[in-house]
Amino acid sequence: VQLVESGGGLVQPGGSLRLSCAASGFTFSSYWMSWVRQAPGKGLEWVANIKEDGSEKSYVDSVKGRFTISRENAKNSLYLQMNSLRAEDTAVYFCARDLNPRFGEIWYDAFDTWGQGTMVTVSS
Amino acid sequence: AIQMTQSPSSLSASVGDRVTITCRASQAIRNDLGWYQQKPGKAPKLLIYAASSLQSGVPSRFRGSGSGTDFTLTISSLQPEDFATYYCLQDYNYPRTFGQGTKVEIK
């Protein structure tokens, strides 16, 4: 079971970047997936998630309208399209698999597998 | 957004100590809470989900408890590999929110 992010780099403010997360070793299409980021020296921040079939997506307010999460199950890949980038988007971006365990009628988050992270730096 | 507040922000402890980290939610979140461990330069690791369910492969010295607004992560006997930063994460509603983290350092 493995997740490998790619696509990070240095971009100017206002620019765009597309992150990818390649999944292997499990049935990718059976899991919700999330992006989580961590600014240098700071804590973790959940960014977005997407349902198994891509029909449901959610975002943190600070990226709504600028970032788009998507997936291609045939390619076992998760993506994060980031537009109108700001300095405050500078962070390591992790993709994570959600086990989504269920107890009765309640589903929980449980990010059991993470990638190694990809660094995004927004600077002029 | 639900605010998650961890305490303390950092602590110093010795191997063998019992360590308790608390996480308080700004509103009731049932038991929709997880705990993650992160070591420098590494991805986070899932320890606990649904407030008290131990993730497979995680040592039994880690215990989660609580519901509503107040939650606790307890490490019964601190081991050298447990020195790390710990985060709680609420999954009651969107956006998901993490606590600010608790750094556990060697005394």
Side-chain angles (χ1 to χ4, degrees):
Chain A
V1 176
Q2 190 176 18
L3 297 171
V4 178
E5 301 96 338
S6 61
L10 174 63
V11 61
Q12 292 188 340
S16 298
L17 214 52
R18 188 197 197 203
L19 305 184
S20 298
C21 171
S24 60
F26 65 98
T27 305
F28 178 71
S29 59
S30 296
Y31 293 88
W32 284 72
M33 297 293 296
S34 280
W35 286 99
V36 173
R37 66 184 179 183
Q38 186 168 36
K42 301 298 184 182
L44 300 169
E45 181 181 36
W46 177 86
V47 174
N49 72 354
I50 186 168
K51 194 176 180 180
E52 298 98 323
D53 61 1
S55 62
E56 294 181 27
K57 307 173 185 181
S58 293
Y59 301 89
V60 67
D61 285 352
S62 60
V63 308
K64 280 181 182 176
R66 301 188 300 122
F67 289 13
T68 301
I69 189 172
S70 63
R71 63 193 297 162
E72 275 190 81
N73 287 341
K75 293 186 176 181
N76 294 326
S77 293
L78 175 72
Y79 306 103
L80 187 67
Q81 177 66 45
M82 303 186 297
N83 299 331
S84 303
L85 282 161
R86 306 166 180 167
E88 54 264 35
D89 296 318
T90 294
V92 175
Y93 285 73
F94 297 99
C95 60
R97 182 181 82 165
D98 190 351
L99 277 181
N100 214 206
R102 177 183 176 183
F103 292 89
E105 296 304 312
I106 301 175
W107 298 81
Y108 296 89
D109 284 355
F111 302 145
D112 75 315
T113 301
W114 297 66
Q116 83 288 353
T118 187
M119 184 69 205
V120 172
T121 302
V122 184
S123 175
S124 55
Chain B
I2 296 175
Q3 185 174 357
M4 306 301 295
T5 303
Q6 288 182 231
S7 60
S9 296
S10 65
L11 65 89
S12 295
S14 301
V15 172
D17 284 353
R18 180 184 182 90
V19 169
T20 299
I21 299 168
T22 64
C23 183
R24 174 164 289 176
S26 60
Q27 68 178 74
I29 59 170
R30 297 183 308 201
N31 65 334
D32 297 25
L33 184 112
W35 289 97
Y36 294 81
Q37 176 195 67
Q38 188 181 33
K39 296 181 179 179
K42 300 294 187 182
K45 174 186 176 182
L46 174 66
L47 300 175
I48 302 283
Y49 61 91
S52 60
S53 293
L54 190 68
Q55 168 65 358
S56 176
V58 174
S60 59
R61 62 180 180 273
F62 291 93
R63 180 177 176 271
S65 64
S67 67
T69 60
D70 294 316
F71 301 85
T72 299
L73 174 69
T74 301
I75 308 173
S76 60
S77 178
L78 200 65
Q79 297 302 300
E81 59 268 30
D82 300 337
F83 291 96
T85 299
Y86 294 84
Y87 295 91
C88 60
L89 170 65
Q90 70 81 16
D91 58 284
Y92 178 74
N93 68 6
Y94 290 109
R96 305 309 198 214
T97 43
F98 285 93
Q100 82 278 15
T102 295
K103 187 174 184 179
V104 177
E105 299 175 299
I106 302 173
K107 194 171 190 177

